[in-house]
Amino acid sequence: MIRDDISIPFDVQKIREDFPTLLRSVNGKDLVYFDNGATSQKPQVVIDAINDYYTNNNSNIHRGVHFLSQLATSQYEEARKIIQEYINAPLSEEVLFTKGTTDSINLVASSLGELFSEGDEIIISAMEHHSNIVPWQMLCERKGCILKVIPISESGELKMDEFDRLLSNKTKLVSVTHISNTLGTINPIEEIIKKTHAAGGYVMIDGAQSVQHIPVDVQALDCDFFAFSGHKVFGPTGVGILYGKKEILDQMPPYQGGGDMIAKVTFEKTTYNELPHKFEAGTPNISGGICLGTAISYLSEMDLSAIHAHEMELAAYAEEKLLQFEGMRIVGTAQRKTSVVSFVVDGIHPFDVGTLLDKQGIAVRTGHHCTQPLMDFYQIPGTIRASFAFYNTKEEIDVFIKALERSLNMLR
Ligand SMILES: *Cc1c(COP(=O)(O)O)cnc(C)c1O
C-alpha cells in the first residue's frame, strides 16, 4: 500500500461532532461505525437540510409558476451545479439525478445498450459489485452481446495484460469500478479509459466507493460515464448521480417515459425534452437531490488530501493490529488501496464474528458484499469488512481489536 507519511493536522474529534449518529450507543456500548462501505453517516447540515426542505420549501419542481415551486426548482438545479463542480463536469446537463449507482448503471445498460447489437462485447472486471454485473448480463440476454471479465491476481489487482487481450474493435463498452467495495483496490482507470478509447469503445466508471475518498475529475479522466450514490457520500439514500458526456447522452434513447422527460406528447408521437430532463422522467427525489448538494458542499469544504492521509493511517493501523491474530488473512492487498480492510480468520465463519462484534457495539459488514464472483475467486463464503471514513479514529480501532480478540476467543 502507498501511504503518506506526512501527518496533516486533522481534527477528527471536531468532525465527529457533525455526525449525531456517531455519538449514540448500541447494545450499551459507544457505537463504533465501521460499515462506511455500505453507507455513510450524515452530518447535521444534511439532516437539517432535509428537515428544512419539508418544513419550509416542499413543492414539485419544473412546472409551477408559484413561489414554492420556483424555489424548490432553483434549489434542485443549484444542487446539480454543486455536484457538477465537484466532479468537474463541463456542463450541468451532463449531471443526471438517478436513484443511486445501481439506477445509473441500469440507465446506461438500458439506454446505451439499445444501440448495441449481437456480437458486440462488453468488458467488466472480476471484482465488480453485482450492480455492475447483472445489468450487463440482462443486456447481453436482450441483445446477444458478449460479456467478458478482466481477471484479477491474488492480491486483488486487475490483470492488465489480460485486459489488453480482451480489448478489441468488438468492445463497445468497458464498465469497471474505480475502487473495489470489498478489497479497497484502486483500479488503474486512467489507463483503462485511454486504451478503451483507442480501441473505439466507451468507458463507464462505477464511482460508488471513490468520490468520498479521492478527488474525481471526470474531464481529466475523460470517462464517458461516471456513477455514484448519495448515501455513500454523506448524503441521503434514494438519490445518486450519472455523469455522461453530452454527445453520447444526446444519441441515447430515453430510459423511462413519463412526465418531465417530454417536449410534446400527442397520441401519434411524442418528442423528448432536452438534457438532463430527457433522462429524468417523473417527479424525482427532490429533497434527496437538494440535500445531496448539501452533502457535497460539506465534503468540498474538507481537505481531501488530509482525509486520505487520515483514512490511510487508520487502514495501516488496523491491518498491523489484525495481523497479530493467529490464522488471520487480509483479503485484498493491492499496492493502491483505500481504507477498506477485508479479512477472514481460519476456521471461523465471518457471520459469527459480525454478530459478536455487534453485541459489543461495533458495526462491520460480513458476507459477500454484493461481490459473489469475487468470493468464488478467493474460495471463501465471505469476509469481515471494516471500512473507514474520515470520522473514524485510532481509538475506535483499539476498541474493535479488543472486541475482536474477545469474539475469537469465544469462537475458538
Ligand atoms: C454500493 C455500491 C454499488 C451500489 O450502490 P447503490 O447505492 O446500492 O445503488 C455499486 N458499486 C459499488 C462499488 C458499491 O460499493
Side-chain angles (χ1 to χ4, degrees), residues 37 100-103 105 129 131 177 179 181 206 208-209 229 231-232:
T101 307
T102 304
D103 192 34
I105 298 172
H129 188 282
S131 69
T177 194
I179 294 174
N181 61 308
D206 172 350
Q209 297 291 342
S229 297
H231 69 99
K232 290 184 181 173

Side-chain angles (χ1 to χ4, degrees), residues 5 51 61 109 117 159 173 181 206 230 253 270 282 322 329 348 370:
D5 291 325
N51 192 31
I61 55 169
S117 3
K159 290 189 171 167
L173 176 91
N181 61 308
D206 172 350
T270 290
L322 282 173
R329 178 174 152 213
I348 292 185
C370 296

Side-chain angles (χ1 to χ4, degrees), residues 51-69:
N51 192 31
D52 180 56
Y53 173 76
Y54 282 115
T55 306
N56 298 309
N57 305 334
N58 174 57
S59 192
N60 210 335
I61 55 169
H62 293 149
R63 321 174 233 258
V65 290
H66 63 80
F67 177 82
L68 283 185
S69 175

Side-chain angles (χ1 to χ4, degrees), residues 93-374:
E93 65 256 41
E94 296 179 312
V95 176
L96 310 179
F97 281 114
T98 64
K99 289 189 288 182
T101 307
T102 304
D103 192 34
S104 298
I105 298 172
N106 275 279
L107 190 163
V108 176
S110 288
S111 170
L112 185 72
E114 272 309 296
L115 310 175
F116 293 3
S117 3
E118 196 173 335
D120 286 347
E121 295 180 359
I122 297 157
I123 300 177
I124 59 172
S125 89
M127 65 173 84
E128 297 309 317
H129 188 282
H130 294 162
S131 69
N132 198 26
I133 302 174
V134 185
W136 308 116
Q137 289 175 324
M138 290 163 67
L139 171 62
C140 288
E141 281 194 11
R142 207 165 73 237
K143 288 279 179 178
C145 302
I146 298 154
L147 192 65
K148 305 242 159 159
V149 182
I150 312 166
I152 58 169
S153 64
E154 196 60 30
S155 61
E157 288 161 302
L158 297 180
K159 290 189 171 167
M160 291 301 286
D161 49 338
E162 299 276 347
F163 171 66
D164 293 342
R165 271 195 283 278
L166 293 175
L167 195 62
S168 76
N169 58 9
K170 289 194 193 128
T171 309
K172 276 280 150 62
L173 176 91
V174 177
S175 187
V176 289
T177 194
H178 194 174
I179 294 174
S180 161
N181 61 308
T182 304
L183 308 172
T185 311
I186 305 176
N187 284 320
I189 58 168
E190 297 80 359
E191 184 184 343
I192 291 174
I193 293 164
K194 274 205 189 80
K195 286 181 168 169
T196 307
H197 284 165
Y202 296 122
V203 184
M204 164 142 212
I205 302 298
D206 172 350
Q209 297 291 342
S210 67
V211 253
Q212 61 277 47
H213 295 295
I214 55 177
V216 168
D217 178 334
V218 293
Q219 286 190 70
L221 286 171
D222 195 31
C223 55
D224 302 296
F225 301 97
F226 189 94
F228 66 96
S229 297
H231 69 99
K232 290 184 181 173
V233 300
F234 318 103
T237 49
V239 67
I241 294 295
L242 174 66
Y243 157 79
K245 283 184 184 162
K246 180 172 161 45
E247 66 264 29
I248 308 171
L249 291 174
D250 275 337
Q251 292 167 40
M252 288 160 51
Y255 172 40
Q256 293 175 322
D260 256 13
M261 54 73 73
I262 52 93
K264 180 162 174 53
V265 177
T266 66
F267 284 117
E268 288 69 41
K269 185 169 172 58
T270 290
T271 51
Y272 305 125
N273 203 342
E274 57 199 20
L275 290 175
H277 312 294
K278 182 172 115 179
F279 290 105
E280 295 180 351
T283 301
N285 182 350
I286 302 167
S287 144
I290 293 170
C291 300
L292 174 53
T294 311
I296 294 290
S297 293
Y298 176 85
L299 193 55
S300 61
E301 279 164 22
M302 305 195 54
D303 175 354
L304 261 187
S305 63
I307 286 181
H308 184 66
H310 174 71
E311 290 177 344
M312 294 321 285
E313 202 179 315
L314 293 178
Y317 186 66
E319 287 193 4
E320 180 196 314
K321 296 271 169 184
L322 282 173
L323 287 169
Q324 291 167 8
F325 288 98
E326 212 179 298
M328 174 66 61
R329 178 174 152 213
I330 309 274
V331 182
T333 50
Q335 281 291 312
R336 295 178 69 223
K337 268 188 77 169
T338 49
S339 51
V340 171
V341 181
S342 257
F343 61 95
V344 289
V345 186
D346 282 350
I348 292 185
H349 201 284
F351 180 81
D352 296 335
V353 178
T355 307
L356 288 177
L357 287 174
D358 175 58
K359 294 224 159 45
Q360 301 168 79
I362 294 162
V364 293
R365 178 134 304 215
T366 62
H368 55 64
H369 318 294
C370 296
T371 53
Q372 279 179 358
L374 186 58

